[in-house]
Amino acid sequence: MPRSTSHPAPFLSNPRAVEKGWIDYNGHLNMAYYNVLFDRSIDDAFEALGMGFDYAQTRRLTTYTAEVHICYLRELHLGHTVQCNFHILDHDEKRIHVFQEMRHEDGWLAATAESLTLHVDMNGPKVVPFAPDVLAKIEEMHAIHAALPRPERAGRAVGIARKAG
């Protein structure tokens, strides 16, 4: 896979451990906390793109999630550590479309997430174009990620598959 010193393809988040309070009465990670793990991991990528905590505090610009689709593929339990990748599928001047995979430290796929994120002026709040320096970083990462194959699970819809006939 193509690599860049500033933006590996795909971008990898910091590893994160499943926390005790996230385990439900079924003995595994509650579905809501997969989203927490994806969200914290996307924060790592956004920090690398120049739109993290300091960006929100100093420029009053941030991101809001418009849509997310999670596929739960394998249970996670207390004591497991995961890492998420971040693959830019598309973007424009105000939005970024990404796909993430959550992998257990042993390498198996636990879940995927596909999301659309909006760039927001916190003073409105209203959707606005990315700052030029951030857009340049998004374009650079997207160009690197464009060489990756499109994830098999990207673009899935929720529904019940019916057999014909």
Side-chain angles (χ1 to χ4, degrees):
M1 283 189 224
R3 295 276 177 198
S4 164
T5 54
S6 59
H7 300 299
F11 178 90
L12 293 175
S13 72
N14 293 313
R16 290 186 167 77
V18 171
E19 297 182 15
K20 184 177 180 180
W22 298 352
I23 303 301
D24 64 20
Y25 57 81
N26 295 313
H28 60 242
L29 183 65
N30 179 275
M31 63 173 278
Y33 292 101
Y34 283 82
N35 201 26
V36 169
L37 287 163
F38 279 123
D39 188 53
R40 289 183 181 173
S41 295
I42 214 167
D43 284 347
D44 293 343
F46 284 173
E47 188 70 42
L49 290 169
M51 51 183 179
F53 179 79
D54 289 340
Y55 184 71
Q57 296 302 304
T58 60
R59 298 196 202 184
R60 303 284 302 151
L61 297 168
T62 192
T63 58
Y64 286 7
T65 301
E67 183 175 349
V68 65
H69 179 179
I70 296 178
C71 292
Y72 305 93
L73 304 170
R74 191 161 167 189
E75 291 181 6
L76 291 168
H77 298 94
L78 186 61
H80 287 178
T81 298
V82 298
Q83 190 171 28
C84 296
N85 68 26
F86 173 92
H87 179 165
I88 298 176
L89 298 176
D90 198 6
H91 72 88
D92 65 16
E93 70 280 355
K94 299 178 183 179
R95 301 172 295 183
I96 187 166
H97 176 198
V98 304
F99 189 84
Q100 294 174 275
E101 292 180 337
M102 180 183 299
R103 293 196 173 270
H104 183 273
E105 62 192 330
D106 291 339
W108 48 264
L109 185 61
T112 63
E114 186 170 0
S115 61
L116 180 66
T117 302
L118 308 174
H119 187 252
V120 173
D121 179 337
M122 296 166 69
N123 295 313
K126 66 179 181 176
V127 179
V128 297
F130 291 104
D133 58 317
V134 170
L135 183 58
K137 290 177 185 177
I138 291 169
E139 289 172 343
E140 176 191 356
M141 187 183 283
H142 183 230
I144 294 164
H145 290 185
L148 296 170
R150 183 165 176 86
E152 180 182 329
R153 293 185 157 274
R156 293 176 57 100
V158 175
I160 298 172
R162 304 279 184 197
K163 293 183 180 181

